Amino acid sequence: MAKAPGAPLGPVPFADVEADSGLVSGVPEQLPEEHADPDDLVSALPSAPRPKGLSSLRLYDGFWLPEWSVPVAVALQRRFEPRPDDVVVASFPKCGTTWVNALTFATMARRAHPAAGAGHPLLRLNPHQCVPFLEALFGSRRGEARLAALPSPRLMNTHMPLAMMPGGGGCKVVYVCREPKDMVVSLWHFHRRLHPELPLADVFEAVCGGAVGYGPVWDHIAGYWSASAARPDGVLFLRYEELLRDPAGHVRELARFVGLPFSGAEEDAGVVHDIVNLCSFGHLKTLEANKTGHMNAGLPIPRDALFRKGVAGDWVNHMTPEMARRLDDIVADKLHAAGLTFLHARE
Ligand SMILES: Nc1ncnc2c1ncn2[C@@H]1O[C@H](COP(=O)(O)OS(=O)(=O)O)[C@@H](OP(=O)(O)O)[C@H]1O
């Protein structure tokens, strides 16, 4: 049920996250304690050939997970028991995670942190620092204790497929997907920040074969798509391209979905547009918190790698028509049964 307009949100979610590097998105600084030797757990699982320089993957429960995250997936499957008012932002990497983290955080925290306010956390923190990353916390006693200590409503983020979160039915999930060719191009540029020689063809082939971190991408998308059809109140399925077209409309939808619809007074005061502007690509990209520093100690990728171009249709500048056709055909074939299609038009 929607909370009454104007009702206080309660304790601000994650207002102090900057002091806590364990909440920052990325590889956990220490391996999950219950699996002191992760080799014991993962060595029996199939591995995939990887483009040079990229981290190893293991096939777990039908998905190619980064090796370090397999114990996290096991822990999530065993122990993830969300609260009914939890919100989890879920996505395949490079599909709009940073943006939806920012929009959801700004929407849920708006009573304590007005989006137009000079002291808003998103002005001094990267969006990933405002939303705890389940992979960085789950599976270690310390991390899970931190999650348990967070006040409600908690907002969290994951790249895990729905299959790794059987408890996900007990909370709200906001999923964002993106046209797969643009995801490939974004992923390639991201990896190139650490491996400048990496050919697009290597990333492309990995995605087409399914063996990409958290892939196959079509199974990742299909899991959340089916859940959103079965439980529209539990899973909100967003598309990056639609967000670009109508960010304000989607922020309203997001607010309704998390039970915090905008009041008439908020609409009149322009709160929706304040949130859209605060979280826009053009704005976030200019902020010091997003221009400098690295994602975390375990993942030395510069934060500005999260803000490259922020458009739909950039694939045309990098893929041949043959590559595009091939991936379109694979995705159409794989998602046909689920009744999900992507527009292939340019921006
Ligand atoms: N605010 C905002 N608005 C629109 N687009 C945005 C925004 N923030 C990030 N981006 C673009 O999202 C791409 C990065 O994807 P993710 O945020 O999912 O990356 S990650 O998985 O969290 O590492 C990456 O896409 P590309 O530009 O195509 O590479 C980012 O530029």
Side-chain angles (χ1 to χ4, degrees), residues 21-30 133 136 293-303:
S21 64
L23 294 183
V24 179
S25 172
V27 180
E29 286 169 30
Q30 59 182 47
F133 188 49
H294 292 81
M295 288 179 67
N296 80 358
L299 195 64
I301 295 180
R303 288 215 187 109

Side-chain angles (χ1 to χ4, degrees), residues 93-99 128 159 178 186 240 279-281 284 306-310:
K94 306 297 141 203
C95 290
T97 323
T98 311
W99 192 13
H128 290 274
H159 287 316
R178 188 178 191 183
S186 183
Y240 181 85
C279 302
S280 73
F281 179 84
L284 291 182
L306 294 171
F307 302 91
R308 187 184 65 92
K309 211 164 178 181

Side-chain angles (χ1 to χ4, degrees), residues 240-265:
Y240 181 85
E241 298 74 22
E242 296 295 326
L243 271 170
L244 283 175
R245 247 174 241 134
D246 179 17
H250 285 89
V251 166
R252 289 189 183 96
E253 189 181 7
L254 185 57
R256 279 194 300 273
F257 178 75
V258 299
L260 294 164
F262 293 99
S263 65

Side-chain angles (χ1 to χ4, degrees), residues 5 10 46 48 56 86 122 129 182 206 244 268 270 274 287 295 304 322 332:
S56 306
D86 279 349
L122 283 168
Q129 291 175 285
D182 279 342
L244 283 175
D268 291 347
D274 289 343
L287 300 173
M295 288 179 67
D304 69 351
E322 291 72 32

Side-chain angles (χ1 to χ4, degrees), residues 83-208:
R83 303 171 193 161
D85 58 0
D86 279 349
V87 177
V88 176
V89 171
S91 64
F92 196 82
K94 306 297 141 203
C95 290
T97 323
T98 311
W99 192 13
V100 175
N101 272 347
L103 289 171
T104 312
F105 177 80
T107 299
M108 289 180 68
R110 69 187 189 268
R111 307 264 157 77
H113 293 300
H120 198 283
L122 283 168
L123 297 177
R124 60 192 161 81
L125 298 172
N126 175 278
H128 290 274
Q129 291 175 285
C130 296
V131 185
F133 188 49
L134 283 177
E135 283 89 315
L137 292 174
F138 230 83
S140 91
R141 264 187 293 279
R142 197 165 135 250
E144 288 180 35
R146 282 191 210 161
L147 277 179
L150 288 171
S152 295
R154 299 182 301 182
L155 172 61
M156 298 165 279
N157 173 223
T158 189
H159 287 316
M160 284 290 177
L162 195 59
M164 308 306 163
M165 291 195 301
C171 68
K172 298 218 179 238
V173 175
V174 178
Y175 185 74
V176 59
C177 83
R178 188 178 191 183
E179 200 287 312
K181 300 191 296 303
D182 279 342
M183 178 279 289
V184 170
V185 167
S186 183
L187 185 63
W188 172 57
H189 280 288
F190 186 76
H191 284 315
R192 282 178 75 212
R193 295 300 295 269
L194 289 186
H195 308 287
E197 306 304 323
L198 182 68
L200 171 62
D202 286 10
V203 176
F204 179 80
E205 288 301 331
V207 171
C208 287

